[in-house]
Amino acid sequence: MNDLELYREQLALCDDKIIDALMERYAIVEQIMAYKEEYGMAILQPAQEAKQERRWKERMNSHRHQDEIYNVFQRIVRNSKRIQARKLFSYNIVLIGFMGSGKTTISDYLSTTLAMNIVEMDQVIAEREEMSIPDIFSTYGEDYFRDKETKLLMELQKSRDTIISCGGGVVLREENVQEMKKNGRVVLLTASPQTVYDRVKDNNDRPILAQNKNVEFIADLMEKRREKYEAAADVVVQTDGKSVLEICEELIKKLLEMDES
């Protein structure tokens, strides 16, 4: 055996070790998830993730292949999160609620911490139409926009492991609610009118609030939609005065309790 063949044999043995280590790692991930569920522990633990990150940096400090190894390590961690997400949820998570209730913030956080796919419906529609949501409303009208929402929800029936963040008025059509529930759990995020106002007052991408950006109008519109929101929801999470982590933990807990029942 020449040197090149020897190196290739060593490389193959190294690959076998990596495969064995990954299988062991992912098996441990499943054991950790089972332990958390059995003892009612928090699913999301950012402090532990930060500890792992520090440990990695200490181990790889100044190594000449640090960037390449870190790139692989990030993929391994992301795949571990995906395993956790699949164990937790066999369905899509559909976030509904009035504008400013926190849907985008929560979907972004869940997508990162659970490595789930994410669909921001308003963003997708705006990209497809090549114009902003206010421009769609002013050019084609609200019915046209609602038709686009319905079409997108029907397309999303093919999706799995996805967090779907819906526009505030998506529940106004019963057809949309039916589409959401075909392969998803619907989570209603709520907030007080004052909280909603504080969150959206500097945002000009809310056509429904054009010329009506005040607490009184928001409260009135929220009340008009409340019955439809609550009828569509599988679980409800109130967001006032809570951190993103607290909201997400409550959301996950309620979904798991629903699945158990």
Side-chain angles (χ1 to χ4, degrees):
M1 180 182 293
N2 59 37
D3 288 346
L4 181 57
E5 290 175 339
L6 177 61
Y7 295 149
R8 285 173 174 167
E9 183 65 24
Q10 291 174 337
L11 189 62
L13 291 173
C14 184
D15 289 344
D16 288 342
K17 291 179 182 178
I18 292 173
I19 292 172
D20 289 341
L22 287 174
M23 290 192 294
E24 181 180 1
R25 188 184 205 280
Y26 294 147
I28 293 172
V29 168
E30 292 181 335
Q31 291 173 343
I32 290 173
M33 286 300 298
Y35 187 92
K36 287 180 179 179
E37 290 185 58
E38 181 179 356
Y39 292 98
M41 298 175 63
I43 300 297
L44 306 180
Q45 297 186 340
Q48 178 61 28
E49 291 186 21
K51 180 180 178 181
Q52 290 176 319
E53 183 82 4
R54 289 194 300 271
R55 184 175 183 273
W56 180 88
K57 289 181 178 179
E58 292 171 359
R59 178 78 182 273
M60 294 303 302
N61 185 34
S62 299
H63 191 282
R64 69 173 184 265
H65 299 308
Q66 176 176 330
D67 291 342
E68 290 79 8
I69 295 174
Y70 183 57
N71 180 268
V72 173
F73 182 76
Q74 285 181 308
R75 294 296 304 177
I76 292 171
V77 171
R78 178 172 175 79
N79 286 337
S80 295
K81 292 178 178 180
R82 292 184 70 84
I83 289 172
Q84 294 181 65
R86 285 199 300 268
K87 183 171 176 56
L88 288 170
F89 312 115
S90 59
Y91 45 80
N92 295 331
I93 299 175
V94 185
L95 301 181
I96 65 170
F98 198 79
M99 62 190 82
S101 60
K103 299 186 297 292
T104 297
T105 300
I106 298 306
S107 61
D108 286 345
Y109 190 86
L110 284 174
S111 174
T112 299
T113 54
L114 294 175
M116 295 177 71
N117 301 318
I118 182 172
V119 172
E120 186 77 34
M121 287 187 61
D122 281 358
Q123 181 180 335
V124 172
I125 294 172
E127 290 174 354
R128 289 181 176 182
E129 296 297 306
E130 298 183 341
M131 62 175 66
S132 68
I133 301 300
D135 286 345
I136 295 173
F137 268 69
S138 62
T139 303
Y140 300 110
E142 183 175 353
D143 285 344
Y144 178 89
F145 177 76
R146 300 301 174 199
D147 288 341
K148 297 300 178 182
E149 285 184 319
T150 302
K151 180 181 178 181
L152 179 54
L153 283 170
M154 294 174 69
E155 292 176 20
L156 291 171
Q157 295 308 317
K158 302 175 184 178
S159 301
R160 292 293 183 273
D161 301 321
T162 300
I163 300 165
I164 302 171
S165 178
C166 300
V170 72
V171 299
L172 298 179
R173 285 188 177 182
E174 179 60 31
E175 180 183 3
N176 290 348
V177 177
Q178 293 173 3
E179 293 298 327
M180 293 176 196
K181 290 180 176 290
K182 285 181 179 178
N183 71 338
R185 296 283 190 274
V186 181
V187 178
L188 170 61
L189 300 180
T190 67
S192 70
Q194 183 64 54
T195 297
V196 169
Y197 172 76
D198 291 340
R199 291 172 178 172
V200 306
K201 62 183 178 181
D202 298 321
N203 188 311
N204 295 318
D205 293 330
R206 313 284 184 173
I208 297 297
L209 294 185
Q211 310 302 318
N212 291 296
K213 200 176 289 184
N214 57 75
V215 175
E216 292 74 18
F217 180 84
I218 290 171
D220 182 62
L221 186 56
M222 289 177 71
E223 180 59 28
K224 289 177 179 177
R225 292 182 176 181
R226 180 176 60 82
E227 185 176 349
K228 288 187 177 294
Y229 281 135
E230 293 177 352
D234 292 310
V235 300
V236 181
V237 178
Q238 190 269 339
T239 65
D240 290 279
K242 299 175 184 175
S243 69
V244 174
L245 178 60
E246 289 172 334
I247 294 168
C248 290
E249 277 293 349
E250 182 178 341
L251 183 157
I252 292 171
K253 181 180 179 181
K254 287 186 173 182
L255 285 176
L256 293 179
E257 288 174 349
M258 177 185 174
D259 292 340
E260 289 175 358
S261 63

